[in-house]
Each structure stands twice: as structure tokens, then as C-alpha cells.
Amino acid sequence: MIRVRAIGVGLAALMVSTLSSSSASAFVRSRTSTGTPVFWASGCVFVTPDSGGTADLPGDMVTATIQKSLANWQTPTASCSYLKLTLETAVALEAHYDGINTVKFRSDRWCHPDDTMSHDQCYSPNAAAITTAYFIDKAGDKNDGELLDADIELNDINFTFEILNPSATAPRAGTSVADLENTLTHELGHLQGLDHTCADAATPANETDDTGNAPPPCDNLDSLSADARMKIETATMYNSAVPGDTSKRSIETDDKNGICAIYPTAKDPKTCAAVNLTTVTKTAGCSFVATDGRAPIGLAIFLSVVGGFLWLTRLRRARA
Ligand SMILES: [Zn+2]
């Protein structure tokens, strides 16, 4: 469902790489089960925060940080991408398949609520945030790969979200500190259709990039050239970071290339409307029939462990 897309091969490699054609490539596009890259059909994507916010930060600061995180993608990609990310006024929302792309802090349970598309599914505590994307997964359909809804949930239980500048105040007991802008900027990459720059536990086994190469495993990047490894690890869409990391606030050239590959200016649909699920359901037919009562077709959950290295290590030891 998720593959690496290779672009931007360097002019010269300073070190010999064991992974040739993919060595200087990084960005990854999320794909349907049959390999179609996912995308928003409209030229605009609307993001509506849940007004519940977090007890750790004032609501206006959260709103400003979401706006800044949207701009972190919009500003660098404006020259080559038509996609517009628009912040809506915060209202009380749940993260459901409802056509509303929300940003929601979870402070009671780190689980998706029980609804028609997910039955009380809980997430890994080492994930600072999770973006759940709903898209049409129907090979051969003209709408195959079309994103319909993407919700960002923030783990306010195992992490304390702060605005680092750059120092951090002490996180709540038993939590790791995570910079909100750093985390949101990464998750917004998922919302737009990008996946991690290397293969991790959530990466499908059949994943390949546009040149047919498998993405390098995140836990074995030593085999890459130094420049290739740096490209993967410094990207905003790299899968993890140390607590307090702020480097993912600013996207890298590779991240920019990913967005501009999905939404090139030359293919601007010149439409700006929110997804109408009623219309989509009619045109897409059976695309959203649940397969087993738990996992609907077309549901992808992108795990993010931004800010989770130390926490992850601790949890693994605890389970061992
Ligand atoms: Zn992620």
C-alpha cells in the first residue's frame, strides 16, 4: 500500500552505496493496495482542529501552531504545487470518517473511538501522533487512490506537547516531550499523501519505489552512502526523532519534491471544495465496505514515532 518514490539522484556519490539507484532517493508516496498513489482530488484541503485542544497549551497557541505547520509545507511548495492547505475555525470534533480532516488531542485513551470504520482500536504508546487516512481503494476505478478524509490524532497521554524555543519545560511525569509544530508538520505530510522515507514496521512488505526498488529499512541505513542516509534521516518524513526534536518543523527538499510530484502546478484541477462523501460513495460504489467488521477497505493508519526514541526503548525493555 505504501511505496518509496525515487527522485533527485545526486550528481556524484562520495561513498560507494550498496543500494544503487535508490541511494539518493527518499520520498515515499502512500499507495492503495494495488499500488495507486493516494492524492486529494481537489486543489484545497481543509483542516479543522477539535476545539477540545490540550490542557498543556492555550487554545490560541495550538491554533497558531497548526497554522504555522500548514505554512511549513505551503510556503516552500508554492512554486511547484497547486495544493492549498486551509485552516478552519476549531469546533468540537471527533476523528471519524466524516469528510472533516481534524487535529485532535487524545488525553483519556490512546485509541480511536468506536465507530462504523474502527472498533475501539488502540495505538502504540510510542507513537506521538497518528494520521488515519481514508481513500478509495478500487483498482480500475477512475477515483482509485482519491483521499476522502485524513485525521491527525495526538498522543497527549504518553507525550507532553510543548512549543520548544528551544528549551523545554519538564514534561508531565511518565511522558516524553514532543514539540507540537515538529509533530504536526510531520503528520501533515501523511495527510497530503506522503509516507516515511524508509521502511519500518508499518510499511507493507511489497513496497517499492517508482523505480521498483524496495525502500531501505529504517533500522539498517548503514548500508547506504552517507549522502543518501542523510537525505532520508533529515527529511521531515523520516519516521522518528529524539524527544524535543524541532528539525521536522522545516521541510527538506526531498519533502518538497514529494508534494510537488503529487500536486504539480501543471495539473492544477482548479477546484477548491471539501470532499462530499455522499457524492463519493455513490461514484465509488463498494469501495468502503468493511471487510471483517474491523478494518474497512481503504483505511490506512500511518504510525509516527516522532519524538519517541527513548520512549520506544523503554517500552521495549518493559515488554521483554
Ligand atoms: Zn509518520
Side-chain angles (χ1 to χ4, degrees), residues 13-18 23-24 221-230:
L14 298 176
M15 298 176 63
V16 175
S17 169
T18 56
S23 63
L221 297 179
D222 292 342
S223 58
L224 299 178
S225 66
D227 62 330
R229 178 171 183 165
M230 178 174 290

Side-chain angles (χ1 to χ4, degrees), residues 5-317:
R5 181 167 181 135
I7 63 161
V9 177
L11 293 175
L14 298 176
M15 298 176 63
V16 175
S17 169
T18 56
L19 297 177
S20 56
S21 60
S22 66
S23 63
S25 303
F27 82 74
V28 182
R29 291 184 65 174
S30 299
R31 294 173 185 266
T32 67
S33 60
T34 54
T36 303
V38 303
F39 62 99
W40 292 99
S42 171
C44 301
V45 175
F46 300 90
V47 176
T48 309
D50 167 45
S51 54
T54 171
D56 294 327
L57 293 167
D60 58 351
M61 188 176 289
V62 171
T63 300
T65 303
I66 297 173
Q67 181 74 75
K68 195 163 184 294
S69 301
L70 294 173
N72 290 344
W73 286 98
Q74 291 279 269
T75 304
T77 60
S79 62
C80 55
S81 166
Y82 62 79
L83 193 68
K84 297 289 185 292
L85 304 174
T86 301
L87 181 63
E88 298 284 85
T89 302
V91 295
L93 283 173
E94 187 42 89
H96 285 312
Y97 172 63
D98 54 7
I100 302 174
N101 311 308
T102 191
V103 176
K104 186 176 182 69
F105 290 88
R106 296 239 177 262
S107 56
D108 50 356
R109 299 176 68 229
W110 184 220
C111 307
H112 194 282
D114 193 14
D115 60 24
T116 57
M117 301 297 270
S118 177
H119 292 277
D120 208 23
Q121 180 181 5
C122 292
Y123 307 132
S124 169
N126 57 52
I130 284 179
T131 298
T132 302
Y134 301 85
F135 53 83
I136 297 173
D137 189 3
K138 190 177 183 183
D141 190 283
K142 65 182 178 63
N143 300 109
D144 189 37
E146 185 177 327
L147 284 159
L148 306 176
D149 188 319
D151 299 318
I152 296 172
E153 297 173 85
L154 295 156
N155 181 355
D156 210 11
I157 299 168
N158 305 111
F159 292 82
T160 299
F161 289 99
E162 300 187 14
I163 312 296
L164 303 179
N165 58 348
S167 60
T169 57
R172 283 177 277 109
T175 70
S176 295
V177 65
D179 179 68
L180 180 59
E181 182 181 342
N182 195 76
T183 305
L184 282 175
T185 304
H186 175 91
E187 296 306 319
L188 286 168
H190 289 313
L191 179 143
Q192 294 173 91
L194 292 177
D195 195 24
H196 297 145
T197 51
C198 53
D200 55 30
T203 305
N206 63 349
E207 186 170 277
T208 59
D209 64 20
D210 277 2
T211 64
N213 293 305
C218 298
D219 60 1
N220 187 27
L221 297 179
D222 292 342
S223 58
L224 299 178
S225 66
D227 62 330
R229 178 171 183 165
M230 178 174 290
K231 188 173 183 180
I232 289 171
E233 292 182 334
T234 59
T236 286
M237 294 316 295
Y238 183 52
N239 74 330
S240 59
V242 295
D245 180 24
T246 58
S247 67
K248 291 177 173 57
R249 290 176 172 180
S250 58
I251 69 169
E252 303 300 317
T253 298
D254 179 72
D255 303 299
K256 172 184 174 180
N257 289 342
I259 294 303
C260 293
I262 307 174
Y263 311 103
T265 305
K267 295 188 176 180
D268 188 348
K270 301 187 187 303
T271 60
C272 185
V275 173
N276 183 330
L277 292 185
T278 303
T279 304
V280 167
T281 302
K282 286 179 179 175
T283 59
C286 64
S287 294
F288 279 86
V289 175
T291 53
D292 61 2
R294 295 185 62 83
I297 297 171
L299 168 64
I301 295 177
F302 305 117
L303 296 178
S304 293
V305 290
V306 176
F309 266 157
L310 298 180
W311 183 246
L312 180 61
T313 302
R314 191 155 67 86
L315 286 171
R316 279 178 172 163
R317 283 174 180 161

